[in-house]
Amino acid sequence: GVRTPALRKIAKELARREDAGEFLRTLPHRLFDESQVHAFAIGLERDYDTAIGLYDAFLPFVDNWATCDQLPVKVLAKRPDETLAHVERWLASGHCYTIRFAMGVLMRLYLGELFEERFLEMVAQTRMPAGADAPASEDDIYYVDMMRAWYFAEALAKQEAVALPYLERQGSEALLDEWTRRKAIQKAIESRRISDEMKGYLRTLR
């Protein structure tokens, strides 16, 4: 129940302590607030290689969308080519919130000057694995699909020409599964970054 600004302050204090590494190695955490402090502490790490190690150690233990979505990504912008290799690895992890985080990195860092059309396909094709031995839970599938929809709503705002076909095409020509396509349209219509004209057009696609 601790407010986010207070958790960020705790993370800053933690980062200055000599025993910070002990806390960061103690996984999984028992409390949501502890996970939040851990996430914010990673965001304070300025060394790229150290940060990658911290992400890799922490992501398998992230078990909720809030911690996942608030995990900072600024340090990952230092080496965008290397980061993409890690993104591809995280997308293939089979872990719900690692996959969601990877999509979030593509959304937060790679929809501007670093954008490539292939990123749209990467997100569109990524799913929670459906293996018979360890089938994905409905919640895990939902939180990955919701991030996919959020990504395409943001992509429409920033890369309209190449993102729009993913929301337009249906049936045998579909580029997205129907649930994600409709949810992305809904989120785009709710966005302040989408023009009223585009919102009107999107309503005809539902």
Side-chain angles (χ1 to χ4, degrees), residues 93-130:
S93 69
H95 176 248
C96 168
Y97 294 104
T98 303
I99 294 171
R100 185 179 171 102
F101 176 71
M103 291 181 180
V105 173
L106 288 174
M107 182 176 73
R108 294 156 75 180
L109 298 182
Y110 294 89
L111 279 178
E113 294 180 358
L114 298 173
F115 175 74
E116 298 177 27
E117 288 189 38
R118 67 187 179 96
F119 302 154
L120 298 172
E121 183 68 12
M122 287 168 59
V123 174
Q125 294 300 317
T126 299
R127 299 284 192 282
M128 279 297 300

Side-chain angles (χ1 to χ4, degrees), residues 9-29:
K9 182 179 179 181
I10 292 170
K12 289 182 180 179
E13 294 171 353
L14 172 68
R16 292 194 290 266
R17 293 177 53 148
E18 293 184 1
D19 60 350
E22 182 176 344
F23 172 79
L24 297 177
R25 289 190 295 270
T26 305
L27 291 165
H29 297 299

Side-chain angles (χ1 to χ4, degrees), residues 2 16-17 43 49 70 126 129 146 149 190 197 199:
V2 182
R16 292 194 290 266
R17 293 177 53 148
D49 293 320
Q70 292 185 68
T126 299
M146 279 297 294
E190 295 170 353
E197 181 180 6
K199 289 180 181 180

Side-chain angles (χ1 to χ4, degrees), residues 68-89:
C68 177
D69 294 356
Q70 292 185 68
L71 183 54
V73 301
K74 184 177 180 180
V75 68
L76 296 177
K78 288 187 173 183
R79 303 184 198 168
D81 291 341
E82 289 184 41
T83 294
L84 282 176
H86 294 298
V87 165
E88 292 179 2
R89 177 168 58 83

